[in-house]
Structures are given as C-alpha cells and as structure tokens.
C-alpha cells in the first residue's frame, strides 16, 4: 500500500497513455479499440491530455481537430530512435514527419526510445538477452544524442525526454548515469517510475541525481510478485506485460511521496502521464483509467 501523500502546492497537467486501450506492440491488446473510445474515456475520467497512439491520425490537422473535439491536448509521443547505430542526419530525416506532427499539434516534448543495438525480437526474448553498449560506444552515442537533441529543439521547438527502458541500451541506474555523463543538458530525461523499479533501482535516485534534466514523467506501478516471477523465469518483456507486471499508480508497491515532493519543490511544469500496460480485456480501460485519476485527484491537483 502507498503511504498517505501530502498534496503539492503546485499543479501539473495530467495525461493518460492510450496504452490502456491499445498496446503499441501487443496487437491483441486493444484490437477493437478506436480513437473515439479512447478519447471519450480519457475525457470522462478527467484527464487533460493523451500521448500519441496508433489509434490516432498522423495528419496534424486531423489530429488537432480530433483532440480539440474532446478538449484534450497532445502531451507528447514516442519516437523509436536508432542513434546507437546511425548518424544524426539519418535520424533527423527519420524523425522529421513525426516531429512536425508534434510541433503542429502543440506538444513541447518528444519521448526518445532507443531501438537500435537490441537483440532480435527484443521484446519477445528473455530479459537476460539484452544487449549493452561499451563505455566507448556510450560516449560516441551520447555525442550523437546531444547533437540530435540540439537540432530537434532548434528545428521543431521540441525538448527531448530520453526514456530509460527495459531491454534497451539504457535500462539500469549505472547506464542512466553513463548516458547523462555522456550527453549535454540538451538531452532531457524521462522519469518512468515503473521502468526504474523493474530496472533494479529507485526512481528517487533519478530525482536526486538528475532532477533538473527531468522533462517528462511516466507514472505507473509495479506488482512485485509478478516482477519476481518474471526475473526468476527469465521471461520476456511482452510476457511480463501480458502477466500484469505493470499497473496503474496506487495498485502496486511504489511509494510516490518523493515524486510529488519533487514536483512541489522543484516547480516541475511538464506533464505527468499515467500508464497502465495491461490486458484491456481484464478490466474495461475506462474503469482502469478512472480509478487511477480518482487516486491521483486526492494528492495531485489539476491546473486551473
């Protein structure tokens, strides 16, 4: 159970990830979901925004109108980057269409997830088969990330929020430290409470060490009995998700008090995004996301 949390004096904007309705890689999760179903549920539960999803149109004008119809904003979106293996110019070419979409729909942050230097079928192989970068590779990678982030900001007005993530080249606390040391301040950090715990460390360490570089927050909880089973059986990431390792905040073991103290004390002004990578057939997503928002409403006031 989470401890009683004192509400921050400051307010932030709270979004919901469409992962509650439709998983981006597990096709059977949300095969009948639609944009209207997702956005209706998000609005009814009291969220102010959503992140990008496969459910939404990729045309900026169409997406802007759709979100406006539901009085919702686009908080951010995930870009699958490959800078661990390709050049900055190649990455800028690959991101142009998506960065333009984010820019034209009012987002200010782009989530960067590194999808290069991964095992084949990385999300479906045992967690122990993750690939890692050498210190020399990390240094060169960090230089490319910094240049890319600088040009992303200059060309599109977007800040980069780097996502530490299971099965990717930055998963552990030491790897986050290496990445931050290898990059300039242009490379911001996405704090993900669930991926920190499952990666073997506390998100509080990210706050203490890199608070000023945190540009985006993903808020999810973890069911530790399932995490322990996943680790002991060396299951894959997708098997862990199917088993229900991740859940909405308030349903697992994470203590969120330090996070809300950080928001309160630092003046963090970005988005807080609730995530629930779960099987939508086990509980209707609109119920899941409403439970999460009700829990948050007791501790995290929305922006007026």
């Amino acid at each position: 159970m989470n401890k009683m949390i004192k509400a921050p004096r400051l307010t932030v904007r709270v979004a919901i990830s469409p992962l509650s309705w439709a998983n981006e890689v597990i096709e059977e999760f949300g095969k009948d979901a639609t944009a209207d179903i997702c956005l209706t549920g998000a609005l009814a539960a009291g969220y102010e925004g959503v992140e990008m999803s496969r459910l939404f149109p990729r045309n900026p004008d169409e997406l802007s109108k759709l979100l406006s119809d539901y009085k919702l904003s686009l908080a951010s979106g995930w870009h699958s980057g490959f800078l661990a293996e390709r050049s900055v110019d190649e990455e800028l070419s690959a991101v142009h269409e998506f960065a333009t979409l984010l820019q034209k729909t009012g987002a200010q942050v782009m989530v960067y997830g590194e999808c290069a230097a991964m095992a084949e079928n990385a999300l479906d192989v045992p967690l122990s088969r993750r690939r890692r970068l050498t210190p020399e590779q990390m240094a060169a990678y960090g230089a490319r990330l910094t240049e890319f982030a600088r040009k992303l900001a200059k060309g599109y007005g977007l800040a980069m929020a780097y996502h530490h993530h299971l099965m990717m080249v930055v998963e552990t606390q030491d790897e986050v430290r290496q990445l931050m040391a290898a990059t300039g301040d242009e490379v911001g950090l996405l704090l993900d409470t669930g991926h920190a715990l499952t990666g073997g460390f506390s998100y509080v360490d990210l706050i203490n060490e890199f608070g000023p570089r945190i540009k985006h927050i993903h808020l999810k909880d973890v069911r530790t009995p399932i995490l322990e089973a996943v680790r002991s059986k060396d299951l894959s990431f997708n098997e862990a998700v199917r088993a229900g390792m991740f859940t909405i905040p308030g349903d697992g073991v994470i203590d969120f008090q330090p996070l809300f103290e950080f928001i309160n004390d630092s003046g963090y002004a970005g988005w807080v995004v609730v995530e629930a990578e779960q099987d939508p057939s086990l509980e209707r997503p609109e119920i899941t996301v409403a439970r999460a928002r009700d829990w948050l409403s007791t501790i995290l006031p929305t922006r007026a």
Side-chain angles (χ1 to χ4, degrees), residues 40-57:
T40 297
L43 179 63
Y47 292 95
E48 299 173 74
V50 293
E51 287 194 319
M52 191 58 190
S53 168
R54 62 181 172 88
L55 299 175
F56 303 155

Side-chain angles (χ1 to χ4, degrees), residues 85-105:
E85 295 177 350
R86 66 187 176 194
S87 71
V88 173
D89 286 343
E90 288 172 321
E91 198 64 53
L92 287 169
S93 177
V95 81
H96 173 70
E97 184 175 347
F98 184 57
T100 300
L101 173 70
L102 293 179
Q103 178 189 45
K104 289 186 175 181
T105 49

Side-chain angles (χ1 to χ4, degrees), residues 212-264:
R213 293 180 70 172
I214 294 172
K215 303 300 181 186
H216 204 57
I217 295 173
H218 280 178
L219 199 64
K220 58 173 165 285
D221 220 331
V222 175
R223 298 182 175 106
T224 51
I226 298 177
L227 171 60
E228 291 168 359
V230 167
R231 288 295 188 189
S232 67
K233 298 177 182 179
D234 199 17
L235 301 181
S236 71
F237 179 82
N238 281 339
E239 286 174 321
V241 172
R242 289 186 174 97
M245 181 175 72
F246 292 123
T247 185
I248 54 173
D251 264 5
V253 298
I254 295 177
D255 177 9
F256 292 94
Q257 175 76 50
L259 177 61
F260 297 122
E261 289 177 354
F262 163 71
I263 292 171
N264 189 47

Side-chain angles (χ1 to χ4, degrees), residues 97-146:
E97 184 175 347
F98 184 57
T100 300
L101 173 70
L102 293 179
Q103 178 189 45
K104 289 186 175 181
T105 49
Q108 296 180 320
V109 173
M110 186 188 78
V111 175
Y112 182 95
E114 185 57 60
C115 294
M118 295 177 72
E120 187 175 355
N121 300 318
L123 299 185
D124 290 308
V125 301
L127 293 179
S128 63
R129 289 175 55 185
R130 181 174 71 95
R131 291 177 58 189
R132 295 164 173 81
L133 299 182
T134 66
E136 294 77 17
Q137 289 172 327
M138 183 67 79
Y141 175 53
R144 291 194 296 274
L145 277 171
T146 302

